[in-house]
Amino acid sequence: MPKLAKQLTDPAARKAIIKPEPYTLASGNGLFLLVLPTGSKQWQVRYRTPEGQRSKKIIGIYPDVSIAQAHVLADGLHQAARMGLEVTGLYDDLKAKRKSTTDAEIEAQRQEQDRLQHCFTVISDRWLDDRRAGWQKATYDKNQFIVRKKLQPGIGNLDVRTMASKDVVDLLREIAAQTPSIAPKARQCINGVIEYCILRGLRGDDQVLRLKGVFPKLKGGHMPAITKYQEIGALMRAIDAYPGRVVRCALLLAAYTALRPGVVASAKWEEMDLEQGEWHIPGKEADGSNRMKTGNDHIVSLPTQALEALKEMQQFAGGPFVFPGVGNRNNPHIHRDALSKALRDMGFAGKHSTHGFRAMLRTVARERLKVDLDVLEAQLAHAKKDQIQSAYDRTDFAEERKSVMQAWADYLDELKVGAQVIQLKQA
């Protein structure tokens, strides 16, 4: 009488050595553990049909199916074989399950896959990629942050083909309550994605979202800016007293040049000609994205006060950027939001932003210094208003801007010191 195999133990099954060729470990009653070169361990049962034919089936995977469970399954399989019933194994059951899927379930799965391909997360990522080349890096980074951190977690699963205004209202109002400054930009991003869908036939021409009144308590859409000359002195004194040297110098450069915050924050030493007192800003980044909003090169005259701030920053000149990252060492240069935060910390929240220096120059320099509007527009690097101007008006008023920006810096300093002199006299 042949010797019966003993039931495998768990340690023996668990420690079975992986070999170049498959082999089996017997566990009794026709049950074997098949050890494959891949490391997979399968329970296999060898049995006889009522006609006496030998066959085998895989009934499970170890350790998902334990030794005790495998023996129970093996007993059931032998019983079915003796009774002439259909004998099925693991893969037979899976095949039957797939076959039993109804047409309705298949269609539902197809529709779900189609919906996921057109969800807001997928399409908004495509929109970001599509717009990237035409944006400044700082603009792209801000839009990417809003889309991926603020919008996608809330509405990322929605199908853009059927998304309605009511589907995004609550999210936009929640963003407005938490971070009012970026709420209008979040709405702009949503509308941008919807326009992208319309242009690509994912939505009809009339399927725009109506979100104009979603922020009933927000007034206007302009960046806060101090445009009354009586208040400028206090602002400049607050900047002078700010303890963070890197941020303070960046704010001074923004005040003296009225350039966009993102351009100031990412200023590079290679762009600075301190001897000539000029800042040469390339219109585009190396990757083809816009550095200047218009995409055109821009030369800025640096007044003596701006040159002093830059010379102060030379002691930190260990890298390519004028204003190295502070706090987060992963940032090669300071973020423009660090400048806005500093102004808020000084007490100017809702009164003045870094972008507000541009409105300050355009308004106060025009009203108090009587600077020609075209010269101011050239300094601000605004795009020409129409195609004719863009094609034929190439004037940049370089000489005029040099004297104007020096006069502007002197005026800011006069307001800063003048108010202090008045206070001393009154005391």
Side-chain angles (χ1 to χ4, degrees), residues 55-188:
S55 189
K56 58 186 176 182
K57 289 286 184 182
I58 294 173
I59 60 171
I61 307 297
Y62 177 85
D64 295 340
V65 176
S66 68
I67 295 174
Q69 291 171 328
H71 274 276
V72 171
L73 292 172
D75 289 341
L77 188 145
H78 285 303
Q79 186 180 44
R82 288 194 301 269
M83 296 173 62
L85 301 177
E86 182 182 5
V87 177
T88 60
L90 173 65
Y91 296 111
D92 297 311
D93 294 338
L94 293 175
K95 184 177 180 180
K97 187 176 180 180
R98 287 196 297 268
K99 191 174 181 180
S100 66
T101 304
T102 65
D103 291 341
E105 290 172 330
I106 294 174
E107 177 60 20
Q109 292 175 359
R110 187 198 64 78
Q111 290 181 2
E112 177 63 11
Q113 292 175 351
D114 180 64
R115 186 192 66 78
L116 291 176
Q117 291 175 356
H118 294 90
C119 69
F120 182 83
T121 293
V122 171
I123 302 303
S124 59
D125 280 345
R126 291 181 187 173
W127 173 70
L128 287 171
D129 290 340
D130 183 71
R131 296 299 307 275
R132 184 170 191 167
W135 280 338
Q136 292 177 273
K137 184 179 183 301
T139 301
Y140 173 79
D141 290 344
K142 185 170 186 178
N143 280 297
Q144 182 189 54
F145 170 80
I146 291 174
V147 167
R148 294 184 177 169
K149 299 298 183 181
K150 297 296 183 179
L151 297 178
Q152 289 181 355
I155 61 174
N157 203 38
L158 295 179
D159 190 328
V160 295
R161 296 169 297 182
T162 56
M163 194 168 72
S165 302
K166 63 181 178 60
D167 296 327
V168 302
V169 168
D170 289 344
L171 176 61
L172 286 174
R173 288 180 176 170
E174 181 182 339
I175 293 173
Q178 295 175 349
T179 320
S181 61
I182 69 170
K185 192 67 177 178
R187 176 177 59 186
Q188 183 180 341

Side-chain angles (χ1 to χ4, degrees), residues 408-423:
W408 172 247
D410 293 341
Y411 181 68
L412 293 181
D413 283 1
E414 288 173 7
L415 292 176
K416 176 178 63 178
V417 178
Q420 291 178 322
V421 172
I422 292 174
Q423 289 174 0

Side-chain angles (χ1 to χ4, degrees), residues 171-400:
L171 176 61
L172 286 174
R173 288 180 176 170
E174 181 182 339
I175 293 173
Q178 295 175 349
T179 320
S181 61
I182 69 170
K185 192 67 177 178
R187 176 177 59 186
Q188 183 180 341
C189 287
I190 291 176
N191 284 331
V193 173
I194 294 301
E195 182 180 3
Y196 175 87
C197 293
I198 292 173
L199 292 175
R200 282 153 183 79
L202 299 179
R203 294 172 70 95
D205 288 349
D206 59 341
Q207 284 185 281
V208 295
L209 298 187
R210 291 170 175 80
L211 303 174
K212 188 176 181 180
V214 71
F215 308 128
K217 294 183 180 180
L218 296 182
K219 296 181 180 180
H222 299 292
M223 297 287 185
I226 291 176
T227 54
K228 294 181 179 180
Y229 76 94
Q230 300 93 333
E231 302 174 5
I232 294 178
L235 172 63
M236 297 304 296
R237 288 194 297 275
I239 294 174
D240 259 0
Y242 189 74
R245 186 177 300 181
V246 175
V247 172
R248 181 178 73 244
C249 288
L251 285 171
L252 288 173
L253 187 63
Y256 292 136
T257 63
L259 285 175
R260 292 181 174 86
V263 175
V264 172
S266 59
K268 298 178 181 178
W269 285 114
E270 65 182 19
E271 300 167 354
M272 302 296 177
D273 186 339
L274 301 185
E275 291 186 5
Q276 294 296 321
E278 292 180 343
W279 181 3
H280 295 248
I281 309 171
K284 292 186 177 295
E285 300 282 6
D287 61 2
S289 61
N290 280 8
R291 175 150 164 72
M292 294 297 295
K293 188 173 183 179
T294 61
N296 299 322
D297 296 349
H298 189 51
I299 299 177
V300 178
S301 176
L302 296 170
T304 55
Q305 292 89 335
L307 290 173
E308 289 174 4
L310 290 171
K311 289 175 182 177
E312 184 177 352
M313 290 308 303
Q314 283 184 316
Q315 61 184 299
F316 300 102
F321 295 99
V322 175
F323 305 109
V326 291
N328 187 349
R329 296 183 178 180
N330 292 326
N331 292 333
H333 59 77
I334 59 170
H335 196 280
R336 63 180 182 181
D337 289 347
L339 308 184
S340 299
K341 182 181 183 301
L343 290 171
R344 292 196 298 271
D345 292 344
M346 295 177 206
F348 294 97
K351 299 178 183 178
H352 191 79
S353 64
T354 319
H355 200 279
F357 287 115
R358 295 171 63 78
M360 178 190 290
L361 172 69
R362 197 180 191 282
T363 302
V364 179
R366 178 66 178 154
E367 292 178 352
R368 308 300 300 182
L369 303 183
K370 308 302 180 184
V371 178
D372 185 84
L373 186 59
D374 287 337
V375 176
L376 291 175
E377 290 292 287
Q379 174 64 23
L380 295 170
H382 279 161
K384 302 300 182 181
K385 293 183 178 180
D386 55 47
Q387 291 182 345
I388 295 177
Q389 281 186 310
S390 178
Y392 297 104
D393 187 359
R394 303 296 176 86
T395 55
D396 59 10
F397 301 98
E399 290 302 317
E400 293 91 333

